[in-house]
Amino acid sequence: MVFVGWLRWCLVMSFTCLLLASCSINPIVEKSLRIGTDQTFPPFEFQGTGGELQGFSVDLIKAIATAAKFQVEFQSLPFDGIIPALQAQTIDAAISSITITEERAKTISFSRPYFKAGLAIATRTDNTEIKNFASLKNKKIAVQIGTTGAQTARNIPGAEVISFDSAPLALQELANGNVDAVINDEPVTLYAINTGNLQGIKVIQKLLTEEFYGIATAKNSSYLSLINQGLSKVLNNGKYQQIYQKWFNATPPILPETTPFTNQEKARLNSLSLIWQSLPNLFNGVFVTLQLAFLSVFLGLISGSLIGIIRLSHIKPVQWLARAYIDFFRGTPLLVQIFMVYFGLPAFFQELGFTWSINRLFAGVIALTLNSAAYIAEIVRAGIQSIETGQTEAAFSLGLNPAQTMRYVIFPQAFRRMIPPLGNEFISLLKDTSLVAVIGFEELFRKGQLIVAENYRAFEIYAAVAVIYLCLTLVTSQIFGRLETWMNPVKKSS
Ligand code: ARG
């Protein structure tokens, strides 16, 4: 008995010692902050060749975390999704070269400034017409969605602004000769030019504005003081200078000690009025969406039917060719196809020494058509093959030739069977048009994104966008339903 008591006492004591020892090694468990960042903004935040996140902001936030004793957990987000994510508290803070602006400060809070930057205009090296800000009037300008560059471009009279998901895509658009200029943060444009990744581009006016970057948090977040403490420490202990030197090979400028635009409040519009106000803008997008869908489905039907029929050919190589086409376009993501057509092909020709650019509508329609033709070809093939061979034999015995047999006997029956899958294809295509937003098309989804980039009301706007898509697809399925009944001789007569 005594022995058991003694053993228990020993166990309790050793466990307590272990606990104390571990506490003295790691007295407090550091909290982990989810830090959002758009990783397409070199040299501030970007992925290295091995996929590792790096850049000035990345080194800085790590140094701040060490100084203020917290852990960093990076989360990749598109730039225009950062403020909505902060509001929704799916991230705790964001470091993404975010300029501290009065408008943004009404929705989120900023740390003290950590970098002094500004916007710059970039053009192609052979452009002699654009010399300054004033000469951008009536020009085509590419920007990154939701940025201060986008805001500035929108205020230029007559300018056509095309927004992309990332700054490198906007710059690529300029290099491909599709736009006259890009307005973007100067260090980023310069870095792209200096690293030699983009050719034929120059910066014509530096530091159009003075901007300060801040680390963003949700409005009045409790993490703000922790981040500010860490940032101040890093600024004072020489670490900041070291990181600045590493990325910019220069000594940093003096930064203001406090953040401007604190205590900004915004009058919040109620949801219904907000949606109501946005509707005209969204309807402009609906028009573009429908235009894209109709054009692509029309062209897809013609080319898809041809490919479908070729697929049934008895000549083997022709049949294989059709098969290869279908396999390729069904087997690769539409998004990749859009990028290939719009960015890839012009860049490829550029390397060969030709300047060839492709019109946006043309590129969008081509990519959607190529893709839908592959699906339609299969629908047509299966439709035709579903008609029993007895029908062909009967037609032949009546003296019809193969073309007449196809035209009067097989196709009308096959077409009726093709209607439901064609309806499905049209509905998918209607939704897939949202993918061409990546090439700066202002169709319905991109219109919604642009509105959110201005008012940060993600829920209401995306809900409205979803409802509009739903109405479009419901109407489409109604139309196809009617077409099916109309084409069915039995149901039609009853
Ligand atoms: N400084 C600009 C702004 O706040 C652009 C920032 C873009 N940042 C990024 N990681 N893509 O609007």
Side-chain angles (χ1 to χ4, degrees), residues 423-443:
N424 280 344
E425 178 51 28
F426 186 69
I427 289 176
S428 316
L429 192 86
L430 197 74
K431 293 182 291 173
D432 286 348
T433 51
S434 60
L435 291 175
V436 298
V438 291
I439 59 173
F441 242 111
E442 294 191 8
E443 42 63 69

Side-chain angles (χ1 to χ4, degrees), residues 147-275:
T147 58
T148 44
Q151 201 62 46
T152 312
R154 283 194 195 278
N155 294 331
I156 298 171
E160 185 188 337
V161 183
I162 302 144
S163 29
F164 290 88
D165 290 325
S166 73
L169 282 182
L171 289 166
Q172 182 68 57
E173 181 78 345
L174 177 64
N176 287 356
N178 291 328
V179 289
D180 304 303
V182 163
I183 302 185
N184 184 35
D185 294 31
E186 194 221 350
V188 176
T189 306
L190 279 182
Y191 187 83
I193 296 173
N194 293 342
T195 46
N197 292 337
L198 273 178
Q199 261 139 34
I201 287 185
K202 63 180 176 190
V203 164
I204 54 138
Q205 192 171 7
K206 288 186 183 181
L207 289 176
L208 217 78
T209 49
E210 186 176 80
E211 298 189 353
F212 289 101
Y213 296 164
I215 300 169
T217 64
K219 195 108 186 111
N220 304 324
S221 154
S222 56
Y223 298 124
L224 199 61
S225 63
L226 184 73
I227 291 170
N228 270 329
Q229 267 167 33
L231 181 54
S232 300
K233 258 194 206 162
V234 170
L235 279 161
N236 296 330
N237 68 10
K239 190 78 191 151
Y240 179 87
Q241 284 77 351
Q242 211 180 318
I243 300 173
Y244 198 99
Q245 188 71 35
K246 169 178 166 194
W247 289 99
F248 300 101
N249 210 3
T251 36
I254 310 281
L255 294 169
E257 278 179 21
T258 51
T259 185
F261 317 121
T262 40
N263 304 324
Q264 300 282 327
E265 287 303 331
K266 191 177 193 171
R268 201 176 157 86
L269 206 63
N270 75 48
S271 302
L272 278 181
S273 330
L274 177 83
I275 294 175

Side-chain angles (χ1 to χ4, degrees), residues 38 40-41 45 79 96-99 104 144 146-148 185 211 213:
D38 165 23
T40 59
F41 216 53
E45 44 269 339
F79 187 70
S96 207
S97 315
I98 309 171
T99 303
R104 288 174 181 165
Q144 182 185 8
T147 58
T148 44
D185 294 31
E211 298 189 353
Y213 296 164

Side-chain angles (χ1 to χ4, degrees), residues 101 125 175 223 293 378:
T101 67
T125 17
Y223 298 124
E378 279 301 88

